[in-house]
Amino acid sequence: MKPIPTLLAFSTIAWSVCAEPALTIYNQNFAVVRDTVPLVLEAGVNKVRFAGATAQVEPDSVILRDPAEKHSLQILEQNYRNDPVSEPLLLSLFEGKSIDFEKLRMKDNTETRELISGKIVRSGYVPGGEAQQPIIEVNGKLQFSLPGQPLFPDLGDDTVLKPAFNWVLQSDSAGKFDAEIGYVTGGFEWSASYNLVSGEKGDLADLVGWITMKNNSGKTFNNAKIQLMAGDVNKIQEFRAVNGFAARRAMSLGAAEPAPAVIEKAFDEFHLYSIARLTTLHDQETKQVEFTHADKMYAPTIYAYDGAEGYRFYGLNYDQGYGQTENKKVVVQREFVNAETNQLGIALPAGKLRFYRRDADGQLQFVGENTIDHTPRNETVRVTTGNAFDLVGERKQTNFRVDTADKWIDESFEIKLRNRKKATPVEFRVVEHLYRWSNWEITKKSDDFTKKDSQTIEFRIPVKPDEERTVTYTVHYSW
């Protein structure tokens, strides 16, 4: 995929008025935020402080404008401070000075408060590094710990209560209005997960899809419009690429119509999922929303036996022992078509898929899990859930002949399939890899097969309860 170009001029981009905050969360641990900033400006140069951004904002991604386009704004200078006030920071601001420390003492079984004056020789604060032990001078002696709770006379002249932008703005006219700010920030992630529930028997199942959002950005978004972007967005490591076209287009989307809980639509080369109602997403909160639900979806169980799994064609191969394994496991898979005719038809973002089946008493039992990739409409999902307990496959080579002068190889196999279920017939899908050479022909076979690709064939063999079936075939390679 080509990199997303960065646009330097954005006066032609369509923006929507954003009375409430809005988020477009990507499944790559970042988000695009839209919010409002109340401004009272004079014509000319103005100094403005904005402390409403997240703690993980990308400062160079900030875009500020008047959504009504009545004022022309230019950020002449932007200073971002992300060292919010803390005890170590304030100690550093008072290095070389004396302050009071409050210490609690027990006297006559009564807690009393004592004030101790101490000079801060070293605060121990290291911006962006590991803190050191503080050094405090008390009564002419040095100690490597605080003598009590520090009591600061003020905040100091160079502190911030939380991360903030200090702007120098140029405005073409005076006025009071709500400007719109957009920026890229880390600290957000979302994922999809699915629960597939089947009855005790049969191939019908219910599917429930969940969206999970996590906010670790350092900011709470109240009554926000939230959208989720699914797809493989090309992004440079520190989010720089998102400062361009894709991020700004995400900011320009209008509100989704409140119908289902989540509305899905194609967007560029991705898919966008909009939460239909305004949602509050607190800092350090995980929130889940159901986004798809399918009842009585056709999802048959597949039993696949691949006796030579992992062996592939790598060139002409005379080694008689190549491909001979003791694998007896039969893999269990579930398959369903993501189509409206199968109660679905919504683009499914990548995520974890859990499988449940109800037993004879109606109790729900967990029977496996796996992951699915991004799946468009009308595509098939096939997921492995585990290995079958009562199904056994056995594969052995029965003949091998090679003639290097005439340039051919003949190889024969016998595959035994055993169904140890008491009452359930099963169809085995027997997968065979023709891995010795690219030119091959099946000269003998006990059952019909389907050619899956240039090196793979598949037999479909029905086996009754407590029955054993044998599949044989001979393949002739020539070069």
Side-chain angles (χ1 to χ4, degrees):
M1 183 168 58
K2 295 181 179 179
I4 299 170
T6 301
L7 302 185
L8 298 178
F10 35 86
S11 59
T12 60
I13 297 173
W15 294 71
S16 60
V17 177
C18 178
E20 67 281 338
L23 292 169
T24 300
I25 305 175
Y26 293 70
N27 49 11
Q28 293 159 286
N29 198 33
F30 73 99
V32 173
V33 175
R34 287 179 297 157
D35 211 339
T36 54
V37 182
L39 295 179
V40 180
L41 301 179
E42 301 291 337
V45 177
N46 300 261
K47 291 186 177 181
V48 176
R49 181 185 180 89
F50 173 63
T54 68
Q56 299 188 45
V57 60
E58 292 279 324
D60 60 350
S61 70
V62 168
I63 303 171
L64 184 70
R65 70 181 297 276
D66 176 13
E69 298 184 350
K70 295 181 179 179
H71 299 81
S72 176
L73 296 178
Q74 181 182 1
I75 301 178
L76 300 178
E77 184 178 309
Q78 173 176 280
N79 301 290
Y80 177 62
R81 292 291 306 277
N82 192 14
D83 54 348
V85 63
S86 62
E87 180 179 288
L89 175 61
L90 285 181
L91 285 173
S92 71
L93 296 177
F94 285 89
E95 281 186 353
K97 300 178 182 179
S98 295
I99 64 171
D100 289 334
F101 294 86
E102 183 181 67
K103 188 171 184 178
L104 300 179
R105 292 182 181 274
M106 294 298 296
K107 185 177 182 181
D108 299 330
N109 293 325
T110 302
E111 188 176 69
T112 61
R113 299 175 184 272
E114 177 184 0
L115 291 181
I116 302 172
S117 178
K119 181 180 179 180
I120 304 171
V121 179
R122 185 178 74 187
S123 68
Y125 176 71
V126 179
E130 186 176 353
Q132 300 176 348
Q133 282 185 297
I135 301 177
I136 310 297
E137 181 182 335
V138 179
N139 297 326
K141 296 181 179 181
L142 300 179
Q143 63 182 61
F144 286 87
S145 63
L146 301 181
Q149 180 67 38
L151 302 177
F152 300 101
D154 56 51
L155 285 177
D157 297 331
D158 194 32
T159 58
V160 294
L161 293 175
K162 56 183 179 180
F165 284 100
N166 291 312
W167 291 318
V168 178
L169 300 180
Q170 173 77 39
S171 177
D172 62 341
S173 60
K176 179 181 179 180
F177 61 97
D178 287 338
E180 184 175 65
I181 182 174
Y183 58 87
V184 175
T185 176
F188 287 94
E189 60 181 288
W190 77 275
S191 60
S193 60
Y194 307 87
N195 298 322
L196 190 147
V197 182
S198 305
E200 180 189 5
K201 297 179 180 179
D203 293 327
L204 298 182
D206 299 335
L207 181 72
V208 178
W210 288 91
I211 282 172
T212 299
M213 299 169 283
K214 295 182 181 180
N215 177 11
N216 297 310
S217 69
K219 175 180 170 63
T220 293
F221 290 84
N222 292 304
N223 296 322
K225 190 187 87 169
I226 299 178
Q227 297 175 307
L228 311 166
M229 186 76 77
D232 300 320
V233 178
N234 190 53
K235 177 177 64 65
I236 298 176
Q237 178 61 34
E238 296 180 351
F239 315 120
R240 297 297 190 261
V242 183
N243 298 348
F245 187 57
R248 295 187 183 114
R249 288 191 65 181
M251 293 179 197
S252 70
L253 293 175
E257 301 213 354
V262 177
I263 300 171
E264 177 269 339
K265 64 181 291 186
F267 173 73
D268 200 21
E269 297 304 319
F270 316 104
H271 280 266
L272 197 65
Y273 299 81
S274 301
I275 310 299
R277 56 191 294 272
L278 297 181
T279 302
T280 295
L281 189 58
H282 295 277
D283 183 35
Q284 304 302 314
E285 181 179 55
T286 298
K287 185 182 290 289
Q288 294 175 311
V289 178
E290 181 181 308
F291 79 99
T292 188
H293 194 124
D295 293 325
K296 293 181 170 50
M297 176 184 71
Y298 181 64
T301 301
I302 296 171
Y303 301 99
Y305 177 62
D306 188 342
E309 184 179 11
Y311 289 90
R312 296 292 183 269
F313 169 65
Y314 296 112
L316 185 60
N317 192 318
Y318 304 115
D319 182 3
Q320 182 176 351
Y322 185 77
Q324 310 309 303
T325 69
E326 297 296 327
N327 176 36
K328 294 185 177 182
K329 297 293 185 181
V330 177
V331 172
V332 183
Q333 299 175 320
R334 293 299 293 266
E335 179 182 273
F336 59 88
V337 179
N338 180 23
E340 294 179 4
T341 55
N342 199 27
Q343 319 306 321
L344 278 174
I346 180 174
L348 301 177
K352 181 183 292 185
L353 177 58
R354 298 181 181 88
F355 298 89
Y356 300 88
R357 189 178 285 276
R358 299 190 183 279
D359 60 21
D361 297 326
Q363 300 297 314
L364 205 61
Q365 305 294 344
F366 175 76
V367 294
E369 67 181 15
N370 211 319
T371 58
I372 66 172
D373 201 352
H374 297 306
T375 305
R377 291 172 54 254
N378 299 323
E379 292 294 324
T380 299
V381 176
R382 181 184 291 186
V383 181
T384 297
T385 65
N387 296 320
F389 193 104
D390 295 318
L391 304 180
V392 180
E394 190 175 354
R395 177 181 185 268
K396 69 176 181 179
Q397 183 189 72
T398 58
N399 188 42
F400 183 81
R401 296 173 61 202
V402 58
D403 189 326
T404 56
D406 288 339
K407 299 182 180 180
W408 58 263
I409 298 173
D410 279 346
E411 187 173 26
S412 299
F413 286 97
E414 176 185 84
I415 302 152
K416 293 184 178 180
L417 309 170
R418 294 188 285 273
N419 178 9
R420 299 310 186 193
K421 295 178 180 289
K422 292 183 178 180
T424 307
V426 167
E427 180 187 71
F428 285 76
R429 296 192 182 185
V430 180
V431 180
E432 285 293 297
H433 306 283
L434 308 177
Y435 39 66
R436 297 201 179 277
W437 186 238
S438 56
N439 187 33
W440 56 266
E441 178 186 4
I442 303 298
T443 56
K444 295 180 181 179
K445 58 183 174 62
S446 61
D447 299 86
D448 292 333
F449 64 87
T450 301
K451 183 178 178 180
K452 307 301 291 184
D453 58 42
S454 63
Q455 302 294 145
T456 310
I457 60 175
E458 180 183 274
F459 297 88
R460 295 197 178 189
I461 309 298
V463 184
K464 298 177 182 178
D466 266 332
E467 182 185 32
E468 178 179 281
R469 289 280 307 272
T470 301
V471 178
T472 61
Y473 74 92
T474 298
V475 55
H476 175 75
Y477 297 96
S478 59
W479 62 94

